[in-house]
Amino acid sequence: RKQSNFKGLFTKELRSLMYGFGDDRNPANDTVNVMEEILVEYIADICQTALAPTRKSRLSIEDFRRVLSRPADAKKLARMEELLFMQEDIKRARA
């Protein structure tokens, strides 16, 4: 697998998430780095899976819906739908 150049992209957010889920206020850098590697790998895998059958150059919401429609990803799909609904709700409220 190609080495990613996203190192440090999610560090701040991961530290906050880890603390929110019960880790130390300042988690060890090695732990954050491992979590970041796992996160970037997961995102890359989801994107590759979404693009695989279509061979398109751009991803759509429907591609992610298809990938997350597996029973094991039901909670992730529900959260994605909730966030999309909230995004539309905010747009309507601003208009």
Side-chain angles (χ1 to χ4, degrees):
R1 189 166 274 219
K2 199 167 118 178
Q3 187 72 303
S4 71
N5 47 344
F6 299 107
K7 190 163 178 63
L9 184 64
F10 301 109
T11 301
K12 182 180 174 188
E13 292 83 1
L14 277 173
R15 286 183 185 280
S16 297
L17 278 171
M18 291 169 69
Y19 177 65
F21 279 94
D23 202 338
D24 189 48
R25 184 109 168 106
N26 295 308
N29 287 334
D30 291 341
T31 307
V32 176
N33 292 338
V34 168
M35 291 295 292
E36 187 172 42
E37 285 178 32
I38 293 168
L39 175 64
V40 169
E41 185 176 325
Y42 175 76
I43 292 171
D45 287 345
I46 290 292
C47 292
Q48 287 173 349
T49 305
L51 279 175
T54 60
R55 298 290 181 215
K56 297 186 298 187
S57 61
R58 292 188 66 150
L59 287 169
S60 70
I61 296 296
E62 293 307 316
D63 295 328
F64 286 108
R65 280 189 177 115
R66 182 179 35 77
V67 171
L68 295 176
S69 65
R70 299 177 298 203
D73 293 325
K75 286 185 179 181
K76 293 174 190 135
L77 179 61
R79 179 66 176 154
M80 183 186 88
E81 296 293 350
E82 178 184 0
L83 291 171
L84 288 169
F85 175 78
M86 289 189 326
Q87 180 183 20
E88 287 300 317
D89 205 28
I90 290 170
K91 277 184 188 177
R92 283 190 298 267
R94 286 184 179 156

